[in-house]
Amino acid sequence: MSSFGCQKADLWYIFDMKILGIESSCDETSASLLEIKESRLQIKSNVVLSQAGEHKKYGGVVPEVAARGHAQAIVPAIARALGSDRPDVIAVTSAPGLITSLQVGLQAAKTLSYAWQIPLVGVNHLEGHLFSWLLNGSDLKLGREFFPAIGLIVSGGHTELLLVKGAGRYSLLGRTRDDAAGEAFDKVAKLLGLGYPGGPAVSRCAEKGRANAIDFPRPMIDSKDFDFSFSGLKTSVTNHFLQMAKTGDLSRESLSDICAGFQAAVIDVLGVKTLKAARQHQAKSVFLGGGVSANEALVNSLAGKLKPRPLYCPERKYTGDNAAMIALAGYLNKRKASRNCWRKLTAQAGLKLA
Ligand code: KG4
Ligand code: ZN
């Protein structure tokens, strides 16, 4: 065992460890092994088995299909991630997500924890996204220079703005009242026939378009709160698209203009609200995470707007769902890990981070 520590009731004080992360909350089955020594990180493996190809034909994730896919992929993913290594701790996504998908990863994690008699910790998927930028480097020390921070999580299921006072200390400032940002990208892609997942397709199409050719609305941009709403924007895109279809103008150029205009509206709203939150809370930094953080235009725009505050965002390979970020969040929550955790940990579809 590479860790040293003492067991105190349910508390484990572990400093060095190999930690196995397991993620199965949506349509990616993932397992990862991190080795942490004196707060320095080494990513030994990060296996991501995506079902995106399977769900493409339905135009979105089908929960039953996803759960079956996880059941098939979970053991091969873990076996590949571990190789001949044995972890000291296991971290598993226990919330939020598709309940039957979460359960596959959770049961695998519980079984290994019980069989190997090693501590287990349940991780909130959103906490994984929030700190996924830490995977870019090797230094895991989260000093006072980062906090308070603003966290912006933009994924297929969530759009949340958080005040982050430290690891584990969050308060929710605002969230979407309807569609998540990624969901809006997916729906627009479906409407325009660009395929699934929609985010990458829309952003590729937007590259050739003019962001100001169509003046799409910026919902709730001036509201006094930090909430978001993207469903009206999606409706506006739909109406515009139908109008164009009527007049027979569905050229590649006009689709690119729609994508660019839609993307600019999403980026604008996210940027204005994040900057407002950062100013109001005198944030020293901003953490960005979630699948939509793969969007280069969003990252560039946010980085510019937030200056001189640093924007921390994950490398592209850690923007989507992956188990390395879950193992990392497990490390941040290591004091909650216990050998008995397998008895009580349950999957929760809708658990909030703050
Ligand atoms: O975090 P994630 O992998 O899964 C969830 O936890 O939901 O996020 C997936 C979402 C999808 O909606 C996908 O369309 C979106 O992230 N996405 C993007 C881009 N790449 C992925 N959205 C905008 N631009 C992108 N380049
Ligand atoms: Zn996610």
Side-chain angles (χ1 to χ4, degrees):
M1 179 146 163
S2 63
S3 62
F4 60 96
C6 60
Q7 198 175 9
K8 241 194 196 177
D10 266 353
L11 292 178
W12 262 81
Y13 296 95
I14 305 169
F15 304 102
D16 292 353
M17 64 175 82
K18 281 185 190 157
I19 181 160
L20 169 68
I22 298 176
E23 155 66 33
S24 68
S25 66
C26 190
D27 61 343
E28 257 98 31
T29 317
S30 182
S32 166
L33 187 68
L34 304 188
E35 182 162 18
I36 294 154
K37 280 187 182 159
E38 291 170 10
S39 292
R40 296 201 75 77
L41 165 76
Q42 194 194 346
I43 301 170
K44 301 200 67 145
S45 62
N46 185 36
V47 178
V48 182
L49 305 178
S50 177
Q51 303 174 8
E54 183 64 26
H55 297 285
K56 213 177 196 136
K57 49 184 180 254
Y58 308 106
V61 178
V62 181
E64 169 65 21
V65 175
R68 279 194 230 166
H70 288 305
Q72 278 176 1
I74 195 76
V75 176
I78 293 171
R80 267 176 59 192
L82 284 181
S84 55
D85 266 316
R86 179 72 85 86
D88 305 307
V89 186
I90 301 172
V92 63
T93 305
S94 55
L98 301 171
I99 194 80
T100 47
S101 289
L102 285 167
Q103 271 162 348
V104 176
L106 192 63
Q107 293 311 323
K110 285 182 173 194
T111 306
L112 291 176
S113 166
Y114 168 73
W116 288 339
Q117 286 292 297
I118 57 174
L120 172 68
V121 60
V123 166
N124 186 306
H125 180 82
L126 299 181
E127 196 169 20
H129 279 308
L130 185 63
F131 286 102
S132 53
W133 57 272
L134 269 174
L135 295 166
N136 299 355
S138 61
D139 188 356
L140 293 185
K141 283 198 199 88
L142 278 169
R144 280 160 65 176
E145 66 276 19
F146 291 98
F147 303 107
I150 295 297
L152 174 63
I153 302 171
V154 273
S155 71
H158 297 267
T159 301
E160 306 211 344
L161 207 48
L162 300 154
L163 175 62
V164 184
K165 292 196 176 147
R169 297 172 59 207
Y170 317 117
S171 34
L172 182 69
L173 299 176
R175 62 202 314 232
T176 182
R177 294 190 183 173
D178 40 57
D179 292 349
E183 190 179 356
F185 271 91
D186 293 335
K187 287 180 176 171
V188 165
K190 199 170 179 179
L191 172 78
L192 304 184
L194 299 176
Y196 171 87
V202 169
S203 62
R204 258 195 316 275
C205 186
E207 278 168 22
K208 297 178 202 89
R210 295 164 298 165
N212 50 6
I214 311 159
D215 191 18
F216 285 124
R218 269 72 172 149
M220 298 186 72
I221 199 162
D222 294 319
S223 70
K224 293 211 168 8
D225 54 27
F226 290 110
D227 281 351
F228 302 93
S229 164
F230 293 109
S231 97
L233 172 59
K234 178 200 63 197
T235 307
S236 181
V237 172
T238 307
N239 292 340
H240 192 90
F241 175 74
L242 294 177
Q243 190 59 36
M244 280 169 51
K246 233 192 237 169
T247 55
D249 175 24
L250 281 182
S251 62
R252 192 74 214 171
E253 287 74 32
S254 46
L255 286 187
S256 293
D257 284 347
I258 294 188
C259 288
F262 160 77
Q263 180 173 274
V266 174
I267 290 175
D268 235 11
V269 178
L270 292 174
V272 165
K273 296 238 160 169
T274 307
L275 179 62
K276 192 170 131 194
R279 282 189 177 143
Q280 193 163 313
H281 293 278
Q282 285 149 24
K284 293 197 185 128
S285 59
V286 175
F287 304 164
L288 176 68
V292 184
S293 66
N295 190 297
E296 238 173 81
L298 170 68
V299 174
N300 292 337
S301 164
L302 275 178
K305 257 200 181 93
L306 293 165
K307 264 181 192 157
R309 291 169 205 85
L311 173 71
Y312 294 100
C313 51
E315 277 176 50
R316 182 175 283 247
K317 61 183 168 191
Y318 302 122
T319 53
D321 291 346
N322 68 86
M325 70 181 192
I326 300 306
L328 183 79
Y331 172 75
L332 299 175
N333 283 289
K334 56 188 180 289
R335 287 182 168 76
K336 292 187 199 146
S338 100
R339 281 182 182 161
N340 275 325
C341 193
W342 64 269
R343 290 180 197 276
K344 35 190 192 209
L345 191 60
T346 53
Q348 282 170 277
L351 188 72
K352 291 194 183 105
L353 185 57

